[in-house]
Amino acid sequence: MPEPEWLTDDEQRAWRGLLQMTARLGNRLNRDLQQTSSLSMADYDVLVQLSETPGGRLRVFEVAEYLQWEQSRLSHHLARMQRRGLVVREECTTDRRGAYAVLTDAGREAIEKAAPAHAATVRRTVFAGLSPDQVAALEAITTEVLSRLDPPF
């Protein structure tokens, strides 16, 4: 069996830093969203997807694919969001097994109210202090890594 190719010290520091940064950033974004809007990061992610589509509706499987969630996780989350009046589920007339997730007026209002504070948090925690070259490098790195992962759809 071939010897494992271990990470270099520089790679190890970068990798662990990336893991710590994404965990802490996710926690901060979730906490700030809940404090300012009563939405979770998961709620926000679903609402963003729906709010950016014509008619505020997507097939449930499309939302799951984009967010990289299991169908069951999304179904349970949509049910909780539906109880809060943020979305409704509509059956698909062309596919009896399928359904649409549809943004309600309350859901659109929630995302529109949450977005400015969320953008400010992202700017403050991620982009403040980064030069345009560093932002470009971050985009290049994320694009390169994502290109080697399974496509989201």
Side-chain angles (χ1 to χ4, degrees), residues 45-110:
D45 287 342
V46 171
L47 292 174
V48 164
Q49 293 311 302
L50 295 176
S51 70
E52 292 180 345
T53 61
R57 61 189 287 131
L58 280 172
R59 293 285 299 267
V60 171
F61 80 87
E62 292 174 308
V63 178
E65 285 178 347
Y66 183 81
L67 297 176
Q68 294 290 285
W69 289 5
E70 297 292 328
Q71 279 294 123
S72 62
R73 176 184 179 194
L74 181 60
S75 292
H76 290 295
H77 196 80
L78 288 175
R80 289 188 297 275
M81 291 178 75
Q82 189 167 357
R83 285 191 295 272
R84 293 166 48 214
L86 300 171
V87 299
V88 294
R89 285 176 67 104
E90 292 179 358
E91 297 306 315
C92 179
T93 58
T94 59
D95 179 359
R96 299 182 85 187
R97 297 169 299 164
Y100 286 95
V102 183
L103 185 64
T104 63
D105 289 343
R108 185 167 302 281
E109 184 178 325

Side-chain angles (χ1 to χ4, degrees), residues 6-17:
W6 299 108
L7 299 178
T8 67
D9 289 344
D10 289 343
E11 290 169 334
Q12 188 72 260
R13 282 190 302 278
W15 173 242
R16 288 182 181 177

Side-chain angles (χ1 to χ4, degrees), residues 24-63:
R24 290 178 63 189
L25 182 59
N27 289 337
R28 169 70 60 87
L29 294 174
N30 194 53
R31 184 178 64 242
D32 285 4
L33 266 172
Q34 288 180 346
Q35 288 175 349
T36 61
S37 69
S38 299
L39 295 175
S40 68
M41 194 69 225
D43 295 335
Y44 191 86
D45 287 342
V46 171
L47 292 174
V48 164
Q49 293 311 302
L50 295 176
S51 70
E52 292 180 345
T53 61
R57 61 189 287 131
L58 280 172
R59 293 285 299 267
V60 171
F61 80 87
E62 292 174 308
V63 178

